[in-house]
Each structure stands twice: as structure tokens, then as C-alpha cells.
Amino acid sequence: MSAYAKLGAKAAGTILAGGTGVGGYLYATDDGMKRSFQAYSTFAPVILHYRMTELKNKYISSVSEEEWEALDETYAKRTVEKLGRLQGMYSKYGQTAAGLTNTLGDAWIRELRTLENEIPPRPLSVVRKTIEEETPGRRLEDTFSSFDAKPLGSASIGQVHRATLRSTGQEVAVKVQYPEAQELFTKDIHAIRFLCEKFAPEQVCTLEALEGQNKAELDYTNEAQNLLEIGTNMAKHGFQPKECLVPKPFGELSTKRMLVMELLPGPKLIDGMRAFYAAYAKKQGTTLKRMETVARKKFEEEGIPDKY
């Protein structure tokens, strides 16, 4: 472990040591507190190492791009793996961060993107229970004539399965929220806020915006409404079906914890966007990575535009 990382570990240990009697009891009996301790002990040393490197770059000697990339490679994989194991809002914020290609390095983006659909899935029994709770009086087989046990993808607060509607025979995607998602959101957000306030206060503003966004995402009826609105707007302005397709939700089967929508073939949105901009970059005589590097440096130097 480097001297910086040791310093971070010591700082994290100081936080964990405070109130050891009460803290030890809560760690053993309170799942939210246990998750908080695990998060602090993992992330605090990483954040402090970056902070120390920033200070070195500002006051001692310039830190090269290669050194920053090496630092990213050192921490990205194991930190994101921890996010995946913690799940809940830790995974959710990591998933959101995967889209910040203009601010995070390639190593972080590469690892964070695994949180978009590679979180360990819940067993079918858990999914069945939620579906049957959201469709009172009906078994899963009453609603779907077929239902794939293996999910198409599993993310921070839910997973998606391929199924066939019994009523029409149409193939659909069924998004089912994890039973503990709502509870973990409340517990995790307090822990993440504390971590930001102590080690990255400049991120509190961003955290507050994400908190509101993620709270809305826990209600799948909001997503169903967004799909309808976006699909209508895309069709109205000529983008759908020529340039893209937005799946239509089935309102009668969409609830706060379950969303049923058309199953459409094609790449994920982010993959499609990256492919589009990679082609655009090639026409401009450059590469997508170079374009992202330029945008990242501009963001670092100029900050977020006032209108945002």
C-alpha cells in the first residue's frame, strides 16, 4: 500500500473508531450501519489518495496524464467491485457515474459500466413474489405464458426478464424492482451524503440532484410515463421510427415496482450513442477517446456552464 493510501486508511480508521462501543453494536445489528462502515473503509482511502495527488499537482510538481491513468487503474476495478457487492444506492450512483465520460477517466468508465447490467441477479422466486404482489389474485403464469428465469440484465435497483404476455402472445420486457430497494435508498443516501460532506464537499450539490432523480426512479410509473412522452415526441419530430425506437409500456401492467414494456432488438442507448460519435469523430479525423479527452480538459478548466 502506498504512503497516500496508508494515510487514507488511517483517516478512514479514525472515522470508524469514533464511538466504538455504540458503533460496534450498530455494525452487528443494523444492516444500514454495516453497509456504511464497509463503504467508508473502502472509499475514504481512495478519495484521500486522489486529494493528495491533486495537492501534489497544485503545490509540488505537475502530475502527468500517465500518472493519473495509473492511479485510475489502481483503484477503479476494486472500488467498483465493492459498489456492486454493496448494491442499493451505491450501485445506483456508480451506474449514473458511468455516463460521465467527459469527467471520469477511461478506467473508471470501463468498470462503472459493469454496474449497468452485471449486478448479481436475484433468484426467480424473489422476482415471482414481487410480480404476484403487484398483480393481486394472479399467479405469474396467469399474466405471462412464458417467463425466462435468466434475466436480460440486472442493475442497481431491479432486473429485467424476457416474457410473453398470455393475453396477446406479445413478447415483452419485464422490469422488476428488488424488494429492499426502497429501504436501502433511505439508508444509503444518508451514508453517501456523510461521505461526500467529509471527503468531497464539492460533490454535495451533484448528490442532491441525483437524490431527487433516483427517488423518482424508484417509482416505475414515472418511467412508464417518460417512455410514453419520449416516444410521442420522437415520433412527432420524425426521429421515430427512422432513427430510434422507444418501447411502449403496458399501463395496466405497470406499477410502482413492476414495468412491462415492448421488447425491442438493438444496442443499449449508451452503446448506440458511442457508436454514433465514434463514426462522427472518424469523419473529423480524430477518435472518440481524443474528443472525450478534450471535452474533459475543457470541463476541468472552465467548469459547468452557467445555464446548467
Side-chain angles (χ1 to χ4, degrees):
M1 181 183 284
S2 70
Y4 291 140
K6 287 179 180 177
L7 176 62
K10 183 177 180 181
T14 301
I15 294 173
L16 297 179
T20 53
V22 175
Y25 172 76
L26 288 174
Y27 183 88
T29 60
D30 186 290
D31 183 61
M33 183 61 69
K34 182 182 294 186
R35 289 161 55 77
S36 299
F37 280 138
Q38 291 175 352
Y40 296 154
S41 61
T42 298
F43 306 143
V46 178
I47 296 171
L48 284 173
H49 195 168
Y50 275 93
R51 286 287 184 252
M52 296 297 288
T53 305
E54 288 174 353
L55 290 174
K56 175 187 174 184
N57 184 63
K58 186 174 183 179
Y59 295 110
I60 301 175
S61 61
S62 178
V63 177
S64 69
E65 192 69 28
E66 290 73 21
E67 288 178 281
W68 282 115
E69 290 177 357
L71 190 61
D72 290 347
E73 291 291 350
T74 297
Y75 287 117
K77 185 175 180 61
R78 62 188 181 189
T79 303
V80 172
E81 285 178 347
K82 185 64 174 181
L83 288 173
R85 289 194 296 271
L86 286 170
Q87 299 194 12
M89 284 300 104
Y90 295 101
S91 295
K92 183 62 178 175
Y93 286 125
Q95 181 182 336
T96 301
L100 303 178
T101 56
N102 62 331
T103 56
L104 296 177
D106 292 339
W108 283 102
I109 297 301
R110 182 188 68 235
E111 298 301 331
L112 286 166
R113 292 198 64 199
T114 65
L115 299 175
E116 295 176 343
N117 57 9
E118 296 179 20
I119 296 290
R122 301 294 194 277
L124 181 60
S125 58
V126 173
V127 173
R128 170 186 287 275
K129 186 174 184 294
T130 300
I131 290 175
E132 293 180 350
E133 287 175 349
E134 297 302 295
T135 55
R138 283 187 284 177
R139 299 178 304 148
L140 180 148
E141 290 80 7
D142 296 331
T143 305
F144 305 105
S145 58
S146 69
F147 193 94
D148 286 2
K150 183 179 179 181
L152 294 170
S154 50
S156 54
I157 62 174
Q159 60 195 54
V160 179
H161 291 259
R162 181 193 303 265
T164 304
L165 290 177
R166 181 167 293 282
S167 58
T168 64
Q170 183 172 352
E171 198 169 38
V172 294
V174 184
K175 184 176 180 179
V176 181
Q177 190 173 118
Y178 300 139
E180 72 282 6
Q182 301 277 343
E183 180 182 1
L184 287 183
F185 173 81
T186 302
K187 291 180 178 179
D188 290 349
I189 195 65
H190 292 302
I192 295 171
R193 177 180 290 277
F194 178 83
L195 188 67
C196 284
E197 288 173 347
K198 295 301 180 184
F199 295 101
E202 76 282 358
Q203 298 298 327
V204 172
C205 180
T206 301
L207 177 65
E208 290 176 347
L210 290 174
E211 181 179 352
Q213 173 187 326
N214 290 333
K215 187 174 182 179
E217 288 182 13
L218 284 166
D219 184 346
Y220 285 173
T221 60
N222 291 327
E223 185 173 347
Q225 184 60 38
N226 289 339
L227 288 172
L228 287 172
E229 291 182 5
I230 293 171
T232 299
N233 288 336
M234 288 294 180
K236 179 180 178 181
H237 296 286
F239 293 105
Q240 181 172 261
K242 182 180 178 181
E243 300 289 343
C244 67
L245 290 173
V246 179
K248 295 178 182 177
F250 291 81
E252 69 279 8
L253 290 174
S254 296
T255 67
K256 189 172 183 177
R257 298 193 299 150
M258 181 176 79
L259 174 60
V260 179
M261 66 193 112
E262 291 179 300
L263 181 64
L264 300 178
K268 292 191 298 183
L269 178 62
I270 187 65
D271 290 335
M273 291 177 65
R274 290 184 67 81
F276 174 85
Y277 282 108
Y280 172 79
K282 186 175 182 180
K283 290 180 181 178
Q284 303 302 312
T286 184
T287 65
L288 178 58
K289 184 175 181 179
R290 290 198 191 103
M291 286 180 62
E292 290 177 339
T293 299
V294 171
R296 191 179 301 125
K297 288 182 178 178
K298 184 176 181 180
F299 180 82
E300 291 171 353
E301 294 171 358
E302 301 178 9
I304 300 174
D306 291 339
K307 66 178 181 179
Y308 297 109

